[in-house]
Amino acid sequence: MNTAIILAAGQGTRMKSQTAKVLHKVGSKCLLQHVVDATRDYVETINVIVGHNSQSVKAAIKESKINWVLQEQQLGTGHAVQQAVPLLNDDSTCLILYGDVPLIQSVTIEKLLIKARTSGFSLLSVVLDDPSGYGRIIRDTNGLIQSIVEQKDASERQQNVKEINTGIMAIKCSLLKKYLNELKPNNVQGELYLTDIVESAVKDNVNIASFLCENASEVMGINDKKQLSRAERFYQVRQAEDFMSSGLTIMDPSRFDCRGGLTFGNDCTIDVNVVFEGDNVLGNNVLISPNCIIKDSKIGDNTSIFPNSIIENSIIGSSTTIGPFARIRPDTNIGDHSKVGNFVEIKKSTIKSNSKVSHLSYVGDSKIGDDVNIGAGVITCNYDGANKHQTEIKDGAFIGSNSQLVAPVSIGKNATIGAGSTITQNAPDNKLTLSRNKQSTIDKWKRPKKK
Ligand code: UD1
Ligand code: CA
């Protein structure tokens, strides 16, 4: 039986923020949720130690296995773990993780637990070129772990050690309880250090099984905004690599951001500087060109999204093109073989198949049929200053350029609207409707001359 303790009570002073440290986000998911997600499948319960902003931390995390444990005063990592002691069963193995080390992978957790099962105590270390800020792993001449010394307490020689404590360990609960009892605040910070249990275990002749994490980014601790941004990039590149392994073409993984879930079919291509937010679904052979933002949307097979377009909470059909410079606002549904061109904004509208809105238009609160052609600069006037009104454009209609459709209004099947019209009443099927002053020419008019 396994249980977990995740430490998340600290304030995170170095973040210089009102938000609890563990609620800062990587890939738009908060740090603590990353750790909870990596742990969930290996343990029966997850004891999360909270203190600073505990209410907001509790509210932000979704997980049924969590026992919330309050650490009223933050007297150190050892003190934090002591708070969970009454919840620990002697026979189980306890996994200890830090809420500010979010990129830990499930496979690493699994290895650590397997090692702890045989030795009773396993810990994860890593070798860093720049170990500053971390606790150093001190070994004897035989390479056996002797202790962990925090940066602030380390001698000059100890500070040169590049193998550091990731903070992540697994230990039999009976041993953990025993060593937690022996902690003393004999250090520069006057705190109870969890890391001091290592020395107790060594005195107790426990052979600590350590193992080296190959990828330093997996165990990086986040204490300030610089580290947060580094963690974000590591996370994005790792995610991009996973997507590429599944067949997604990503032009440059260092300019790829997916903040949420992404599913895709075969032969999709994501060009540079695309941001995915929320949950997105791409069909087969979808192209997303540079500088697009796609949020909570579904895009059909063979559809291309051209540069600098924004699509939010919408459904785009197959073999359709959007952009460049198009904005598709929430609750829009665009059919197959359609086109939304440059500088077009569509809001809360349905456009069926084979229809085109090619240039410079605003279409809001509208229902547009099949085979409709909307000319350049057409505006649906959906708002009267107080209420929103609907526009309907039936199948096969042609709306001449620079027309305004003053809603509520309906344009009939195969109707044609003459360019430059302001349409305030319903237009009948199959006919030309226009509202335009007759053109005239003044024969004797002369251009004024400069005096
Ligand atoms: C800690 C380790 C250090 C390790 C590093 C890895 C100790 C003494 N040091 O240092 O060896 O290299 O992590 O990232 O353990 N917390 C509480 N209650 C407290 C104090 C801390 O819940 O009273 C939580 C914090 O919210 C944080 C975690 O424990 O999530 C680690 O605390 P932090 O102060 O960041 O420790 P480090 O100095 O990074
Ligand atoms: Ca830390």
Side-chain angles (χ1 to χ4, degrees):
M1 221 176 72
N2 300 321
T3 184
I5 296 176
I6 302 176
L7 306 192
Q11 183 176 15
T13 323
R14 289 167 278 179
M15 294 297 265
K16 305 225 162 48
S17 164
Q18 299 298 317
T19 306
K21 174 156 75 170
V22 294
L23 293 188
H24 284 84
K25 287 174 178 172
V26 162
S28 103
K29 181 158 93 174
C30 69
L31 306 182
L32 178 56
Q33 186 75 52
H34 279 277
V35 183
V36 167
D37 289 348
T39 311
R40 176 185 303 115
D41 292 345
Y42 300 98
V43 296
E44 261 95 72
T45 52
I46 302 175
N47 303 293
V48 181
I49 316 295
V50 284
H52 271 281
N53 289 321
S54 62
Q55 291 309 327
S56 47
V57 174
K58 285 186 198 174
I61 306 297
K62 292 174 207 80
E63 174 57 49
S64 56
K65 287 185 177 177
I66 290 184
N67 290 322
W68 296 103
V69 180
L70 187 66
Q71 182 195 21
E72 286 192 30
Q73 273 186 298
Q74 284 67 57
L75 305 177
T77 50
H79 179 258
V81 175
Q82 282 175 347
Q83 310 309 304
V85 163
L87 299 165
L88 302 179
N89 194 324
D90 277 358
D91 313 323
S92 57
T93 296
C94 184
L95 191 63
I96 299 176
L97 301 125
Y98 288 0
D100 66 347
V101 182
L103 302 183
I104 185 74
Q105 297 272 67
S106 294
V107 280
T108 308
I109 288 176
E110 195 174 12
K111 271 200 220 166
L112 202 63
L113 283 168
I114 291 169
K115 293 221 170 204
R117 215 165 290 152
T118 45
S119 77
F121 190 176
S122 65
L123 63 84
L124 183 65
S125 69
V126 70
V127 174
L128 297 181
D129 287 338
D130 175 13
S132 54
Y134 290 99
R136 309 297 203 278
I137 306 273
I138 307 302
R139 293 178 183 268
D140 66 12
T141 45
N142 297 320
L144 296 174
I145 293 182
Q146 292 301 295
S147 62
I148 295 172
V149 180
E150 291 306 301
Q151 160 109 10
K152 286 179 182 156
D153 304 297
S155 67
E156 211 168 304
R157 233 181 82 203
Q158 289 170 328
Q159 292 207 14
N160 289 330
V161 172
K162 300 208 157 162
E163 187 188 4
I164 63 101
N165 171 34
T166 66
I168 295 166
M169 55 178 84
I171 178 168
K172 276 214 177 94
C173 286
S174 51
L175 295 179
L176 176 64
K177 285 182 183 175
K178 187 171 161 201
Y179 306 147
L180 283 174
N181 265 330
E182 298 168 10
L183 294 183
K184 295 208 172 62
N186 294 334
N187 51 63
V188 175
Q189 302 191 84
E191 291 184 352
L192 293 179
Y193 286 171
L194 176 65
T195 42
D196 288 348
I197 66 172
V198 169
E199 248 183 284
S200 297
V202 170
K203 282 192 192 123
D204 208 13
N205 292 319
V206 172
N207 183 11
I208 301 170
S210 69
F211 89 94
L212 218 55
C213 190
E214 278 159 34
N215 188 351
S217 59
E218 190 182 332
V219 289
M220 72 177 286
I222 294 176
N223 300 308
D224 59 32
K225 295 281 169 71
K226 273 195 281 183
Q227 289 168 328
L228 183 67
S229 75
R230 262 179 243 144
E232 177 73 32
R233 201 36 42 205
F234 283 130
Y235 174 79
Q236 291 298 348
V237 170
R238 186 164 89 187
Q239 189 171 235
E241 285 171 355
D242 286 346
F243 291 147
M244 290 188 284
S245 304
S246 305
L248 186 65
T249 299
I250 296 179
M251 300 305 279
D252 182 357
S254 68
R255 287 180 289 170
F256 171 85
D257 290 84
C258 178
R259 304 168 186 159
L262 179 65
T263 52
F264 47 85
N266 297 320
D267 298 304
C268 290
T269 299
I270 314 300
D271 213 319
V272 298
N273 294 332
V274 170
V275 178
F276 290 102
E277 291 179 1
D279 285 315
N280 290 293
V281 179
L282 311 181
N284 295 312
N285 200 32
V286 171
L287 167 70
I288 314 282
S289 308
N291 307 323
C292 288
I293 300 174
I294 315 286
K295 183 174 182 190
D296 293 312
S297 293
K298 199 173 159 190
I299 298 175
D301 297 346
N302 306 312
T303 284
S304 294
I305 312 299
F306 293 129
N308 302 295
S309 296
I310 301 177
I311 300 176
E312 195 179 338
N313 202 7
S314 291
I315 298 172
I316 316 292
S318 302
S319 304
T320 282
T321 64
I322 305 286
F325 296 98
R327 180 167 181 217
I328 312 295
R329 290 170 55 194
D331 302 315
T332 293
N333 195 326
I334 296 173
D336 304 336
H337 300 279
S338 284
K339 176 182 175 186
V340 172
N342 41 202
F343 307 108
V344 172
E345 174 179 350
I346 314 269
K347 183 216 108 179
K348 213 177 191 177
S349 295
T350 302
I351 297 177
K352 291 173 92 180
S353 295
N354 296 305
S355 289
K356 291 193 172 93
V357 194
S358 298
H359 335 265
L360 299 153
S361 288
Y362 172 63
V363 173
D365 302 305
S366 299
K367 228 174 93 185
I368 294 169
D370 292 314
D371 304 298
V372 168
N373 192 316
I374 295 183
V378 169
I379 307 286
T380 57
C381 309
N382 61 328
Y383 186 50
D384 59 14
N387 296 297
K388 300 278 167 66
H389 301 283
Q390 296 286 319
T391 299
E392 182 181 27
I393 303 176
K394 293 188 179 162
D395 296 349
F398 178 98
I399 315 296
S401 294
N402 191 32
S403 291
Q404 304 87 50
L405 309 177
V406 182
V409 71
S410 172
I411 309 299
K413 224 171 171 182
N414 296 316
T416 299
I417 301 298
S421 296
T422 300
I423 300 297
T424 55
Q425 286 162 45
N426 293 350
D429 295 354
N430 301 312
K431 292 191 176 148
L432 170 67
T433 300
L434 72 171
S435 73
R436 195 196 281 163
N437 285 335
K438 265 234 159 75
Q439 183 169 323
S440 61
T441 303
I442 299 166
D443 287 333
K444 289 179 181 147
W445 182 82
K446 287 219 167 62
R447 254 191 217 177
K449 284 207 174 87
K450 202 168 179 178
K451 282 174 191 153

